[in-house]
Amino acid sequence: MDLFEYQGKQYFARFSIPTSPGGVADTVTEAVAQADAAGYPVVVKAQVKVGGRGKAGGIKLAADADEVRRHAGAILGMDIKGHVVHRLWVEHASDIDKEYYASFTLDRPAKKHLGMLSREGGVEIEEVARTNPGAIARLHVDPVRGLDREAARRWVEEAGLDEAARDQAADLLVALYRCYTEGDCDLAEINPLILTTDGRVHALDAKVTLDDNATFRHPEWAEYAATETEDPRERMAKEKGLNYIGLSGTVGIIANGAGLAMSTLDVVNQVGGEAANFLDVGGGANADVMSAALEVINADPSVRSIFVNIFGGITRVDEVAKGVIEALGRVDLRSPIVLRLDGTNAEEGRSLLAPHLSDRLLAEPTMLEAARRAVALAGQRSEERA
Ligand code: GDP
Ligand code: MN
């Protein structure tokens, strides 16, 4: 679960990571009240879960209440990359001397936590990685040993942070590491981490992704879930217990196993199409699961064809075929289905399906042919990509 900046900053506060004083506002009047409380000048910040708010005009400095009124009025309701602003964060403005970058995330191949620290903050870290990779100091942290003050101090020096910032930055990084580990984050990122003109180091922005697997031990996360703006397709899939992720294409995908589902997306892409979703029905692709999967995909207005790609292992293809047939009776589908069924009991499955095949339910022998057919039905470009 991704947090809004203001929630990230509140989360940081639990771990004593310094931020600027401020508060949330849902109206212009509230924004002025928060600004009065924080002390002028202030910065008025759009709360949307997308980066680059500054460039999009969603972050403005205000010297007095009139300016707050003007900026808050302009930013509330603004559309930033498809995210409409309903809430603002108003904080006391900082005088910035230097902008740095700091984050922790998991490096899966290394089986360690990865800290990234740079003296070049305020711009996207991907941009720094491309144009000046030497400016990012990476630190792998052994999860058993953790990060101590001495290691953090060496890291800060290696990254070339200014002398005046080093001690405070080292303390802050130890706190950020605690927030990331004890706070069960997948990502804890500060961009920019600033050194102010009067020599203080603090977080000017907060990007926090919580690890949903740890929800059970964090009752306090309920308030974050309440403000989560979820994709309606994903909410419906979650209610039905499906492993679903909404995407932007037109070919609905159902596959068994996450690996096969990903390969299916690749093959659809290879033949010039784009998947509308990722959906792994897992091991038990029975009628209930198939109906639920088809229902979720059917509810997506961009879908124009559905590609069902099943490889029977422990799952038997004849069971899947029964599931598809039964599901067809339950769900009134808007789009044609292309099936590719292979593996355990494939022959039995195909003969069960044979009497049901039509121009709305087609079968293809291979994954590639099925992908081509599904993409053609979705009316997309059919040239293959290199
Ligand atoms: P993002 O664009 O969504 O990443 O939003 P940030 O919170 O990182 O803000 C973007 C930029 O706005 C920062 O890099 C700063 O340059 C500027 N900014 C934000 N807050 C302040 C502030 O308190 N004072 C000043 N002078 N600039 C700020
Ligand atoms: Mn930022």
Side-chain angles (χ1 to χ4, degrees), residues 5 9 20 42-43 45-46 48 50-56 59 61 91-96 99 121-123 191-192 194 202 204-206:
E5 175 197 3
K9 285 182 169 172
S20 305
V42 296
V43 51
K45 308 182 78 175
V48 283
V50 63
R53 295 168 299 163
K55 276 189 210 150
I59 295 177
L61 286 160
E91 70 177 26
H92 182 67
S94 305
D95 276 327
I96 303 174
E99 294 189 294
V123 290
N191 189 22
I194 60 160
H202 72 261
L204 207 63
D205 194 4

Side-chain angles (χ1 to χ4, degrees), residues 307-343:
F307 178 6
V308 178
N309 190 9
I310 304 287
F311 189 88
I314 296 167
T315 308
R316 288 162 40 207
V317 171
D318 52 332
E319 284 301 320
V320 176
K322 279 183 206 153
V324 172
I325 295 164
E326 219 181 301
L328 287 177
R330 293 195 211 167
V331 187
D332 189 16
L333 287 176
R334 293 181 301 104
S335 317
I337 300 184
V338 181
L339 297 161
R340 177 264 180 165
L341 304 174
D342 211 342

Side-chain angles (χ1 to χ4, degrees), residues 70-239:
R70 194 148 47 79
H71 292 315
I75 297 173
L76 281 168
M78 185 183 272
D79 184 310
I80 300 180
K81 301 178 189 168
H83 298 248
V84 178
V85 182
H86 298 297
R87 184 162 276 188
L88 303 170
W89 171 255
V90 182
E91 70 177 26
H92 182 67
S94 305
D95 276 327
I96 303 174
D97 183 10
K98 291 286 167 51
E99 294 189 294
Y100 310 126
Y101 171 96
S103 71
F104 285 101
T105 187
L106 181 64
D107 183 343
R108 288 174 194 276
K111 299 194 172 79
K112 289 194 169 119
H113 298 306
L114 174 65
M116 289 201 278
L117 182 62
S118 178
R119 61 178 185 274
E120 309 223 336
V123 290
E124 278 178 35
I125 195 66
E126 291 82 3
E127 177 70 19
V128 180
R130 203 165 42 239
T131 58
N132 191 5
I136 303 173
R138 287 162 210 270
L139 179 73
H140 274 117
V141 183
D142 186 312
V144 177
R145 298 177 59 188
L147 178 69
D148 60 31
R149 179 97 189 12
E150 289 65 42
R153 192 64 177 72
R154 284 194 300 274
W155 185 26
V156 162
E157 264 166 56
E158 191 204 324
L161 265 51
D162 301 79
E163 192 61 55
R166 290 184 183 175
D167 282 329
Q168 291 175 70
D171 287 336
L172 188 145
L173 288 165
V174 169
L176 185 63
Y177 180 79
R178 271 193 58 219
C179 172
Y180 166 75
T181 50
E182 292 168 34
D184 284 310
C185 302
D186 277 338
L187 170 73
E189 183 188 71
I190 304 176
N191 189 22
L193 170 70
I194 60 160
L195 171 64
T196 61
T197 48
D198 59 356
R200 286 173 304 115
V201 172
H202 72 261
L204 207 63
D205 194 4
K207 189 169 173 197
V208 172
T209 304
L210 300 173
D211 176 359
D212 294 330
N213 296 307
T215 305
F216 72 95
R217 58 182 171 215
H218 292 280
E220 80 278 13
W221 288 2
E223 68 175 286
Y224 305 140
T227 56
E228 209 181 10
T229 44
E230 214 175 9
D231 181 324
R233 299 176 296 174
E234 291 180 6
R235 190 182 316 127
M236 181 175 176
K238 201 184 275 175
E239 281 163 13

